[in-house]
Amino acid sequence: MRILIVEDEPRICAEISRALTAVGYTCDWAADGEDAWFRGETESYELIVLDLGLPKMDGLAVLKRWRAAGRNTPVLVLTARAAWPERVEGIDAGADDYLTKPFRIEELVARARALIRRSAGHGAPVIKAGRIQLDTRQMRVTLDDAPVQVSPLEYRLISYLLHHKGRVVPTTELLEDLYGDDDARDANALEAIIARLRKKLGAKAIETRRGFGYLISSEEET
Ligand code: CA
């Protein structure tokens, strides 16, 4: 699950990035409005955390341009505490939620999770598919209610597939989600992670659609 953090203060950005990475997301960073707009326009993210006070193009203008172009990625806006007209404008411009600075990082993480879940069509923090269950608050995976030990990369992958269950997720999309755009993307590594997950969750847990990608079926198994 990839998140774009748009923030011109490196210290705040690093704090947000650390907290979101610790709970299993991959983070990209944009430090000004133009870079933010370009990334939001060309890359696919599960969520964008958008500071409004930015160099080059302010956050509200960026948000309006995305929405005008039909980009409906959930956006969590960060505003200064005193700036309530900005918050109202932000919501009018298509923000899905906002936080005022300074904020507790735990609250940002909780709101980020809730926004991502809701946009994937899952209101509850627990996502089920057949015998597998994912608890996004505790970052726990269970099979027939028994806990399954997974590595951070395995968690990210199973979490992404479960959030998109019922849809064939292309290999390129998974690689992008796992590695962001900075690291080398390695399709063999992805296959190795899938193989390990199948060992832990059952051979049929993740289907391969050769030439297309991977799928977790949304049908309930018996
Ligand atoms: Ca700022």
Side-chain angles (χ1 to χ4, degrees), residues 15 20 25 30-32 75 77 91 97-98 106 117 120 122 129 134-135 146 172 178 188 192 194 210 214 217 221:
E15 188 191 4
L20 290 172
Y25 298 108
D32 66 64
V75 171
V77 153
I91 290 165
D97 199 358
Y98 68 86
E106 294 84 352
R117 269 195 329 258
H122 308 291
L134 179 89
D135 187 326
T172 47
L178 284 181
N188 293 326
I194 297 266
R210 209 156 285 288
Y214 298 93
S217 166
E221 287 173 35

Side-chain angles (χ1 to χ4, degrees), residues 7-9 51 53-54 101:
E7 170 62 74
D8 54 323
E9 286 176 56
D51 182 33
L54 294 169
K101 288 177 172 179

